[in-house]
Amino acid sequence: MSELTPPVVVLDKSQMADNIGAVARVMANFGLSELRLVSPRDGWPQERAWATASGADWVLDGVKVFDSVAAAIADLHTVFATTARPRETRQPVRTPRESARILYDDTASGLKTGLLFGGERAGLETGDIALCAGITTIPIDPKHHSLNLAQAVAINAYEWRTLILDAPPPRFREGEPPASNDLLLGMYEHLEAELDNGGFFYPPEKKRSMSQNLRVMLGRAAFTEQEVATLRGAIHALSKGRGRVLAKLAAERAAAKKDK
């Protein structure tokens, strides 16, 4: 079981090269190797990251940079957003130990998994959290809830490592695996575009929150690839049917106007 592919670590809008290097160091400590950055504040690469990685160069040498969280997690199937702040999304909230078990089981089933961490100052956007399968929260003492980025990654990486070392039997998923995030995002955008055309997002200023609620609600269903295709087919049929109805009404109006 030591050959399981560890979760990908995704850092959103990291601010300091020192913190990125410290994250690479703890990832190497616990056997995680794939690091992805989303819009790092000072660009990439940054020499200070290598200086603080204490020799974990292979993690930094393989870093991939993305413009958005959606792009960074597109090929992953199960991603947990790691955040300590309460959010308005109704998603499952788990400890790092509980999340690690799910990631372990999904990885053993052949799925690609990941952990998403927010920037040092602002954390994660609610819209990005809505793209994830749930929230991972570290149960720290509320008297002092300040935890730096590398510490948060280390705690989650440690929980993964304990499962690898203990080699518990994986709980294999029954049925088809969930669709990857790029397929889910395509479904969300397809549905939202048709709903927008139909006037669903009203008033306009509530569109963002309504879209997030839809994504969280649909995300809890853990759609398979076939289910995504089926739902998109249904969306297409509804939009096509609406077009036919509108065309028929327009023809009827034109005929009535001509008769007058």
Side-chain angles (χ1 to χ4, degrees), residues 153-173:
V153 174
I155 291 171
N156 283 274
Y158 166 80
E159 294 296 349
W160 165 266
R161 187 66 177 174
T162 58
L163 290 175
I164 294 297
L165 293 178
D166 292 341
R171 303 178 187 129
F172 289 102
R173 178 183 299 274

Side-chain angles (χ1 to χ4, degrees), residues 46 48 90 104 122 128 163:
Q46 303 172 36
R48 281 294 302 168
R90 294 182 56 192
Y104 177 88
D128 292 327
L163 290 175

Side-chain angles (χ1 to χ4, degrees), residues 12-13 69-70 73 81 116 124-132 212:
D12 181 35
K13 299 180 181 66
V69 168
I73 67 174
L116 173 64
L124 292 170
E125 295 288 338
T126 304
D128 292 327
I129 296 175
L131 296 175
C132 298
Q212 290 171 356

Side-chain angles (χ1 to χ4, degrees), residues 86-101:
R87 301 286 176 168
E88 58 266 28
T89 59
R90 294 182 56 192
Q91 290 170 286
V93 179
R94 303 179 178 90
T95 65
R97 183 164 302 175
E98 293 169 325
S99 295
R101 179 70 218 205

Side-chain angles (χ1 to χ4, degrees), residues 13-115:
K13 299 180 181 66
S14 299
Q15 295 182 300
M16 300 177 62
D18 292 327
N19 288 340
I20 297 174
V23 166
R25 178 179 181 177
V26 299
M27 286 176 62
N29 289 152
F30 297 109
L32 280 67
S33 59
E34 186 171 353
L35 176 61
R36 301 179 182 182
L37 305 179
V38 178
S39 302
R41 183 189 65 182
D42 300 325
W44 188 260
Q46 303 172 36
E47 291 185 7
R48 281 294 302 168
W50 273 264
T52 56
S54 296
D57 294 349
W58 68 92
V59 178
L60 295 176
D61 291 342
V63 163
K64 297 177 182 178
V65 181
F66 297 85
D67 293 329
S68 67
V69 168
I73 67 174
D75 62 324
L76 307 180
H77 298 88
T78 306
V79 182
F80 290 126
T82 304
T83 178
R85 298 194 302 176
R87 301 286 176 168
E88 58 266 28
T89 59
R90 294 182 56 192
Q91 290 170 286
V93 179
R94 303 179 178 90
T95 65
R97 183 164 302 175
E98 293 169 325
S99 295
R101 179 70 218 205
I102 295 173
L103 296 175
Y104 177 88
D105 293 338
D106 284 0
T107 300
S109 298
L111 305 182
K112 296 186 68 174
T113 64
L115 288 162

Side-chain angles (χ1 to χ4, degrees), residues 4 23-24 30 43 54 69 79 85 91 100 110 117 124 133 136 156 167 181 189 205 207 215 243 246 248 253 258-259:
L4 291 178
V23 166
F30 297 109
S54 296
V69 168
V79 182
R85 298 194 302 176
Q91 290 170 286
F117 297 84
L124 292 170
T136 298
N156 283 274
N181 273 283
E189 292 175 342
E205 59 268 23
K207 179 179 178 179
R215 293 185 180 196
L246 293 176
K248 182 179 179 180
R253 293 194 188 100
K258 185 177 180 181
D259 291 341

